[in-house]
Amino acid sequence: MATPVDFPKYLQSLIKSYESQPDLYTLTDLQVEVRVEISPEDRSPQTPKNQPETKIVRLEVLAGIRKYLRDGNVLLVGKPGSGKSTVLQRFRWVLALEALKDCDRPIPILVQLRSDRSIEDAIRAEFRQAKLRVSPEDVDDLLLDGKLLLLLDGVNEMPSPQRRQEFQLFRDENSDTPMIFTTRDLALGGSFGIEKQLEMCALTKPQMEEFVHKHLPQHGNSLLRQLRDRLREIAETPLLLKMMCEVFEKTGEIPQSKGELFQKFDRQYDEFKGGASVSDDFRRFKSELLQQLAFVMLQGDLQQPTEGLVAISRDRAEEILERWLHHRGVLDAPIKAKEWLEDLLKHHLLQVAAKREEIEFHHQLFQEYYAGRALRKLLLEKHDDATDDERLQHFYLNYFKWTEPLAFMLSLLADEDRAVRVVRLAGEVDVMLGARLAGEVQRVFQKRTVGLVDGLDVPGWLKVALLGEVRSDEAIPGLLKFVEDSDAYVRKKAADALGNIGDYRAIPGLLKLVEDSDSSVRWRAADALGKIGDYRAIPELLKLVEHSDFYVRRRAADALGKIGGAQAIPGLLKLVEDSDSSVRWRAADALGKIGDYQAIPGLLKLVEDSHRYVRKRAAYALGKIGGAQAIPGLLKLVEDSDPYVRKKAAYALGKIGDAQAIPGLLKLIKHSDSDVRKKAADVLGNIGDAQAIPGLLKLIEDSDSDVRWRAADALCNIGGDRAIPGLLKLVEHSDPYMRKE
């Protein structure tokens, strides 16, 4: 009989590994959007009863994954650098903590799909990291018994069609195993039939500003002042924004494009890493070495021209560098190739891959940046592949894998005629590719490149889609022409595109669309105003607070919450008393996001609202704002008839952390719902007052193991002599994990 897998050892290993790593960015900044069908009570009156109407719900990313994983597998889609891999690592850590406390929880396993090994072998390798020997038969048993939860990172990075076929077969054979997947683009690998797709949101303008102030407390205002409305254009994802802050802190310089951001980061990387001791020759060649590696890896196998490589063997990397150094006349090329590859792994943007004998870039974006630098060199040196129109189209513009490198190349190309030529040739291959690259050239050239797109003789819906793909403020005049188009679909897509560009000049046109006769146009326009996040939209949005259509009022509340600012509070307080429940709870959400004490009286009115969802959102908002003034209302909600309202009220009281809340929380200790008892224990522990100890001692004997755990944690947090008797009971508990706690 096989030896049981030591799950606690594995879980403790990955918890320790995660907690030893520095956070790249704050996950609370990251949110996802999911399209869901609107409930009958919230449906727009204009929508026929037999026709489904959808809305986009925005959720904190971990909460979104957890919510929709209950319904089956989840596909997490997001731009490069949006935080997908970081989310999986964080979620694995959270799941590991939960699994340590509850042996019935599935064991989280993170698998990097970029490797060419099978998923079963990757699972075994994860256990091996914790010094656990697990056989193929063990893995098969764990999958059959439903013991695992798989986090599969990089659907788009699988190295070959064969791997994708094996991946699909694995999914089919293990359809009962919960899985979370990530991909950067549905065009790269598809959705594999996964219905629940969550899309990582770009950071809103207020989130970006908060991020900058958090990372640059001394210089954040200076960076934001110099960038003004261009922050989204250069650094809308957490990875790029972190790079921007580091570059600005070290150099005081403002990159003018994404390509220039990477270029400055590349030049300053030694300083970021602490000035490692390497030879002057290595410093001189390192960027070109990385360019050559990235370029050859992206070319991949000539037998499979559509596929690039994100990881290669160390031996192959040495061969690539040796050949290039020999061509450059470097003495001792074989020795230098080995030494400098080691230096790149230790001191620059290469790292050991999941398979220890392979190497990869720290992030695929860095690989694509260096490949773009190599393409730019081909163009400047007038290589046949770059100067001949047909060869450029055939070898590069024709393949999806070169899209990001081409974008980087164009952002660094200082020759306008060459940049326009590449965009024109791209448009001949694929109009959407031409539109995408038109917005990547340097800003001073965009008038010409966007003009190529705007001048196309195509139907209105396609023109809007193309201008939206450009994502440049140069596209705004063209898009504004479609604000009054007779086709609602065109107006809707124009609103989406203007919101994604995120420039304040779109506000007048979007304000017209907020009052559109079509509900889907209205909510997209309001959502776009929220994405732009400019305070200049608030006065006009406040006018919509008293609009006759509840749908307009609802979207106005959403947008005001996203934009933030105390200027919006009076209008939102009017919506707190709105006749429509969906407007009231959205007003509560918005007031919670703004987080100003002025909102508390209005939110307290919602504590006794007839609609449970309104009460729940009011409790959540009061918790975000904080302040003892909210406690009496929240204590009423602790006894609410709805369990979700009670939990939100308990959470809010815990956030406020005032001992006045303890009597109300102690009432929850005898509640029939174990989740409510659990939450009460958590909150009492967070408040940390000795008054809670007698009630928590009762929970030590609770029938639910998770409640007992939370009570023990809470007693440990409170400490003091009065907690000792209850904790001593745990020493003799039948559950070994409780004894350990």
Side-chain angles (χ1 to χ4, degrees):
M1 184 175 177
T3 304
V5 179
D6 189 349
F7 289 136
K9 182 179 179 181
Y10 166 72
L11 295 168
Q12 289 162 354
S13 171
L14 69 84
I15 289 168
K16 182 179 178 182
S17 173
Y18 178 83
E19 292 178 347
S20 67
Q21 298 172 8
D23 288 334
L24 283 176
Y25 32 80
T26 307
L27 277 172
T28 51
D29 291 334
L30 304 181
Q31 296 179 315
V32 288
E33 291 182 344
V34 59
R35 189 177 299 278
V36 297
E37 190 167 339
I38 294 175
S39 60
E41 63 268 22
D42 288 344
R43 188 182 293 271
S44 169
Q46 285 80 16
T47 304
K49 291 184 178 180
N50 61 347
Q51 180 182 328
E53 186 177 2
T54 61
K55 63 179 177 180
I56 290 178
V57 176
R58 192 172 178 124
L59 299 165
E60 190 275 321
V61 60
L62 294 185
I65 292 173
R66 194 184 287 277
K67 176 178 180 179
Y68 289 104
L69 188 59
R70 299 174 196 150
D71 302 328
N73 295 338
V74 169
L75 179 63
L76 185 61
V77 184
K79 289 184 174 183
S82 60
K84 302 182 296 298
S85 298
T86 302
V87 164
L88 288 193
Q89 291 170 15
R90 175 74 174 196
F91 196 45
R92 179 179 63 164
W93 174 74
V94 170
L95 294 170
L97 291 172
E98 294 173 353
L100 262 182
K101 295 183 178 182
D102 183 351
C103 59
D104 292 329
R105 298 285 180 96
I107 304 301
I109 304 287
L110 177 59
V111 174
Q112 302 291 344
L113 293 175
R114 66 171 65 96
S115 170
D116 64 358
R117 63 185 167 196
S118 69
I119 294 176
E120 292 90 342
D121 285 345
I123 293 171
R124 292 175 59 210
E126 282 295 294
F127 283 114
R128 192 174 182 82
Q129 292 289 319
K131 307 299 182 186
L132 292 172
R133 185 176 284 108
V134 176
S135 69
E137 292 75 20
D138 291 332
V139 172
D140 197 44
D141 287 343
L142 291 172
L143 290 167
L144 283 172
D145 295 341
K147 295 290 188 183
L148 304 182
L149 190 159
L150 300 182
L151 299 92
L152 301 152
D153 193 18
V155 170
N156 60 285
E157 296 179 24
M158 284 187 283
S160 66
Q162 180 184 349
R163 284 287 294 111
R164 283 194 283 275
Q165 290 171 5
E166 292 170 356
F167 170 73
Q168 184 62 62
L169 181 62
F170 176 86
R171 279 197 62 224
D172 293 342
E173 291 178 346
N174 298 279
S175 57
D176 293 333
T177 298
M179 302 183 198
I180 303 166
F181 311 86
T182 70
T183 186
R184 66 152 57 176
D185 195 313
L186 292 177
L188 295 170
S191 68
F192 285 94
I194 303 166
E195 292 185 6
K196 195 55 65 182
Q197 298 167 15
L198 309 184
E199 183 172 357
M200 298 286 290
C201 304
L203 298 178
T204 64
K205 190 173 180 181
Q207 285 176 332
M208 296 169 82
E209 291 171 351
E210 182 182 350
F211 188 107
V212 169
H213 285 302
K214 187 184 301 180
H215 287 79
L216 292 176
Q218 304 298 321
H219 309 292
N221 283 331
S222 177
L223 172 60
L224 292 169
R225 187 169 54 251
Q226 293 182 61
L227 275 171
R228 287 189 290 245
D229 297 307
R230 300 196 52 232
L231 191 59
R232 181 190 296 274
E233 176 188 331
I234 300 171
E236 69 177 342
T237 65
L239 174 62
L240 299 181
L241 200 52
K242 182 75 160 50
M243 289 171 61
M244 173 72 78
C245 290
E246 290 184 350
V247 166
F248 186 75
E249 185 175 31
K250 295 289 184 184
T251 68
E253 298 174 351
I254 299 288
Q256 297 303 303
S257 67
K258 188 169 76 173
E260 191 176 328
L261 169 62
F262 275 75
Q263 191 173 51
K264 291 183 182 296
F265 187 84
D266 180 17
R267 290 172 182 168
Q268 296 297 320
Y269 194 74
D270 283 343
E271 198 172 337
F272 297 151
K273 292 285 285 185
S277 177
V278 293
S279 70
D280 289 339
D281 281 346
F282 170 74
R283 292 184 192 281
R284 187 158 53 92
F285 282 113
K286 66 179 180 182
S287 184
E288 291 178 273
L289 294 173
L290 290 166
Q291 289 176 42
Q292 185 66 14
L293 270 177
F295 185 78
V296 175
M297 288 170 67
L298 207 57
Q299 280 184 318
D301 184 349
L302 295 179
Q303 301 303 313
Q304 296 177 339
T306 61
E307 310 292 333
L309 300 174
V310 293
I312 57 170
S313 71
R314 190 183 291 247
D315 290 342
R316 174 75 176 120
E318 288 175 1
E319 288 175 12
I320 293 168
L321 297 184
E322 180 183 339
R323 190 180 307 117
W324 185 83
L325 290 169
H326 181 76
H327 179 70
R328 294 295 299 266
V330 175
L331 298 176
D332 299 325
I335 296 173
K336 292 295 186 189
K338 289 180 181 294
E339 290 179 351
W340 289 354
L341 181 61
E342 196 63 35
D343 284 337
L344 289 171
L345 286 165
K346 287 181 179 178
H347 308 305
H348 216 71
L349 291 161
L350 289 183
Q351 64 186 15
V352 176
K355 288 180 71 173
R356 306 303 292 176
E357 64 271 21
E358 292 184 340
I359 62 146
E360 63 187 7
F361 282 82
H362 281 199
H363 193 284
Q364 195 174 350
L365 268 180
F366 291 118
Q367 179 181 351
E368 290 165 334
Y369 160 70
Y370 287 112
R373 290 276 302 276
L375 279 177
R376 176 174 171 269
K377 191 174 180 182
L378 285 183
L379 204 64
L380 295 178
E381 293 180 353
K382 299 182 179 179
H383 190 282
D384 287 348
D385 286 351
T387 55
D388 183 277
D389 289 358
E390 290 186 2
R391 291 174 70 86
L392 180 62
Q393 288 177 322
H394 176 76
F395 289 113
Y396 302 107
L397 297 171
N398 197 39
Y399 293 109
F400 201 101
K401 65 182 180 179
W402 289 106
T403 301
E404 290 296 333
L406 285 162
F408 275 116
M409 178 195 78
L410 288 169
S411 71
L412 294 168
L413 191 60
D415 186 314
E416 182 174 6
D417 289 336
R418 282 176 170 158
V420 172
R421 168 182 167 259
V422 172
V423 173
R424 176 179 56 78
L425 292 172
E428 292 174 4
V429 172
D430 179 352
V431 287
M432 293 303 286
L433 173 65
R436 161 73 196 281
L437 296 183
E440 297 289 351
V441 304
Q442 295 190 14
R443 285 179 63 80
V444 291
F445 308 153
Q446 286 181 10
K447 192 172 186 64
R448 282 182 65 186
T449 56
V450 176
L452 291 176
V453 178
D454 201 13
L456 292 172
D457 184 14
V458 294
W461 64 267
L462 180 55
K463 178 71 70 69
V464 168
L466 292 170
L467 289 171
E469 186 71 12
V470 170
R471 291 176 67 92
S472 162
D473 56 8
E474 288 289 347
I476 291 175
L479 286 166
L480 288 175
K481 296 174 187 174
F482 294 96
V483 164
E484 298 182 19
D485 195 272
S486 59
D487 188 334
Y489 178 81
V490 173
R491 301 196 300 276
K492 179 168 61 178
K493 290 301 179 182
D496 286 343
L498 290 166
N500 289 333
I501 293 170
D503 190 279
Y504 75 94
R505 284 172 288 182
I507 291 174
L510 289 167
L511 288 170
K512 291 180 182 178
L513 292 180
V514 170
E515 300 192 68
D516 197 271
S517 58
D518 186 282
S519 63
S520 62
V521 175
R522 293 196 298 272
W523 74 254
R524 279 178 162 84
D527 188 60
L529 288 166
K531 285 181 179 178
I532 293 171
D534 194 292
Y535 293 116
R536 283 168 280 199
I538 291 178
E540 293 302 319
L541 284 168
L542 287 173
K543 294 178 184 177
L544 301 180
V545 163
E546 299 183 25
H547 198 280
S548 58
D549 187 334
F550 81 97
Y551 212 89
V552 174
R553 301 194 301 276
R554 188 195 305 176
R555 293 303 169 182
D558 286 341
L560 288 167
K562 288 177 182 176
I563 295 170
Q567 185 185 356
I569 291 176
L572 289 167
L573 288 175
K574 291 181 182 177
L575 294 181
V576 162
E577 302 186 46
D578 198 274
S579 59
D580 185 90
S581 63
S582 67
V583 175
R584 295 196 300 277
W585 73 253
R586 281 174 166 84
D589 268 357
L591 289 166
K593 288 175 183 175
I594 294 170
D596 193 291
Y597 284 167
Q598 295 179 61
I600 291 178
L603 289 167
L604 289 173
K605 293 178 182 177
L606 298 181
V607 164
E608 298 183 21
D609 195 276
S610 59
H611 198 290
R612 67 180 181 87
Y613 202 70
V614 175
R615 300 194 301 276
K616 183 171 81 169
R617 302 314 294 180
Y620 185 70
L622 286 166
K624 290 184 76 172
I625 295 171
Q629 186 184 355
I631 290 175
L634 288 168
L635 287 174
K636 290 182 182 178
L637 292 180
V638 163
E639 300 184 75
D640 196 272
S641 59
D642 187 276
Y644 292 103
V645 176
R646 294 193 298 269
K647 282 193 282 187
K648 285 296 181 186
Y651 170 82
L653 288 166
K655 289 267 288 184
I656 294 170
D658 194 296
Q660 293 180 53
I662 291 176
L665 290 165
L666 289 174
K667 294 179 181 179
L668 296 182
I669 283 174
K670 297 181 181 179
H671 202 279
S672 59
D673 187 332
S674 64
D675 281 343
V676 175
R677 301 195 302 275
K678 204 165 25 180
K679 182 58 72 176
D682 285 345
V683 176
L684 288 167
N686 290 339
I687 293 173
D689 192 286
Q691 294 179 61
I693 291 175
L696 289 167
L697 289 175
K698 292 178 182 177
L699 290 183
I700 292 294
E701 301 297 331
D702 197 272
S703 58
D704 187 288
S705 63
D706 215 8
V707 175
R708 298 194 299 269
W709 269 102
R710 304 295 180 94
D713 279 344
L715 287 166
C716 289
N717 288 340
I718 295 171
D721 293 343
R722 292 176 66 191
I724 291 174
L727 292 171
L728 285 174
K729 290 182 181 180
L730 296 182
V731 174
E732 300 177 357
H733 204 281
S734 60
D735 185 338
Y737 298 121
M738 293 294 286
R739 294 198 299 272
K740 183 176 179 181
E741 181 72 11

Coordinates of all heavy atoms in Angstrom, one line a residue, residues 5 13 172 182 204 234 244 334-335 370 521 577 579 644 656 702:
V5 N 0.4 10.8 1.2 CA 1.2 12.0 0.9 C 1.1 12.9 2.2 O 0.0 13.1 2.8 CB 0.6 12.8 -0.3 CG1 1.4 14.1 -0.5 CG2 0.7 11.9 -1.5
S13 N 5.4 24.1 3.4 CA 6.5 24.5 2.5 C 6.1 25.6 1.5 O 6.9 26.6 1.4 CB 7.0 23.3 1.7 OG 7.9 23.6 0.7
D172 N -10.4 16.7 -20.1 CA -11.5 15.8 -20.4 C -11.5 14.7 -19.4 O -12.6 14.2 -18.9 CB -11.5 15.3 -21.8 CG -11.7 16.4 -22.8 OD1 -12.3 17.5 -22.4 OD2 -11.4 16.2 -24.0
T182 N -5.1 30.7 -16.5 CA -4.9 32.1 -16.9 C -4.4 32.1 -18.4 O -3.8 31.1 -18.8 CB -3.8 32.7 -16.0 OG1 -2.5 32.1 -16.3 CG2 -4.1 32.6 -14.6
T204 N -8.0 51.6 -12.5 CA -8.7 52.9 -12.8 C -7.7 54.1 -12.4 O -6.7 53.8 -11.8 CB -10.0 53.1 -11.9 OG1 -9.6 53.1 -10.5 CG2 -10.9 51.9 -12.1
I234 N 0.8 54.6 -20.7 CA 2.1 54.0 -20.5 C 2.1 52.9 -19.5 O 2.8 51.9 -19.7 CB 3.2 55.1 -20.0 CG1 3.3 56.2 -21.1 CG2 4.5 54.5 -19.8 CD1 4.1 57.4 -20.7
M244 N 7.4 51.9 -13.6 CA 7.4 53.4 -13.8 C 7.9 54.1 -12.5 O 8.7 55.0 -12.5 CB 6.0 53.9 -14.1 CG 5.8 55.4 -14.1 SD 6.7 56.2 -15.5 CE 5.5 55.8 -16.8
P334 N 33.2 30.5 -26.4 CA 32.5 29.5 -25.7 C 32.5 29.7 -24.2 O 31.5 29.5 -23.5 CB 33.3 28.2 -26.1 CG 34.0 28.5 -27.4 CD 34.3 30.0 -27.3
I335 N 33.7 30.2 -23.7 CA 33.8 30.4 -22.2 C 32.9 31.6 -21.8 O 32.2 31.6 -20.8 CB 35.3 30.7 -21.8 CG1 36.1 29.4 -22.1 CG2 35.4 31.1 -20.4 CD1 37.6 29.6 -21.9
Y370 N 12.9 42.7 -25.6 CA 14.2 42.5 -26.2 C 14.1 42.0 -27.6 O 14.9 42.4 -28.5 CB 15.0 41.6 -25.3 CG 15.5 42.2 -24.0 CD1 15.0 41.8 -22.8 CD2 16.4 43.2 -24.0 CE1 15.4 42.3 -21.6 CE2 16.8 43.8 -22.9 CZ 16.3 43.4 -21.7 OH 16.8 43.9 -20.5
V521 N -26.3 51.2 -24.1 CA -25.5 52.4 -24.4 C -25.3 53.2 -23.2 O -24.2 53.7 -22.9 CB -26.1 53.2 -25.5 CG1 -25.3 54.5 -25.8 CG2 -26.2 52.4 -26.8
E577 N -32.0 57.5 -0.9 CA -33.4 57.5 -0.6 C -34.2 57.2 -1.9 O -35.4 57.5 -2.0 CB -33.8 58.8 0.0 CG -33.1 59.1 1.3 CD -33.7 60.3 2.0 OE1 -34.9 60.5 2.1 OE2 -32.8 61.1 2.5
S579 N -36.2 55.4 -4.9 CA -37.3 54.5 -4.9 C -36.9 53.1 -5.4 O -37.5 52.1 -5.1 CB -38.5 55.0 -5.8 OG -38.1 55.2 -7.1
Y644 N -26.2 36.7 5.2 CA -25.2 37.5 4.5 C -25.1 38.9 5.0 O -24.0 39.5 5.1 CB -25.5 37.5 3.0 CG -25.3 36.2 2.3 CD1 -26.4 35.4 2.0 CD2 -24.0 35.7 2.1 CE1 -26.3 34.2 1.4 CE2 -23.9 34.4 1.5 CZ -25.0 33.7 1.2 OH -24.9 32.4 0.6
I656 N -13.8 48.3 12.0 CA -13.8 49.5 12.9 C -13.0 49.2 14.2 O -12.3 50.1 14.6 CB -15.3 49.9 13.2 CG1 -16.0 50.3 11.9 CG2 -15.3 51.0 14.3 CD1 -17.5 50.5 12.1
D702 N -17.1 24.2 19.9 CA -18.1 24.2 18.8 C -18.1 22.9 18.0 O -17.0 22.2 17.9 CB -17.9 25.4 17.9 CG -19.0 25.7 17.0 OD1 -19.1 25.1 15.9 OD2 -19.9 26.5 17.4

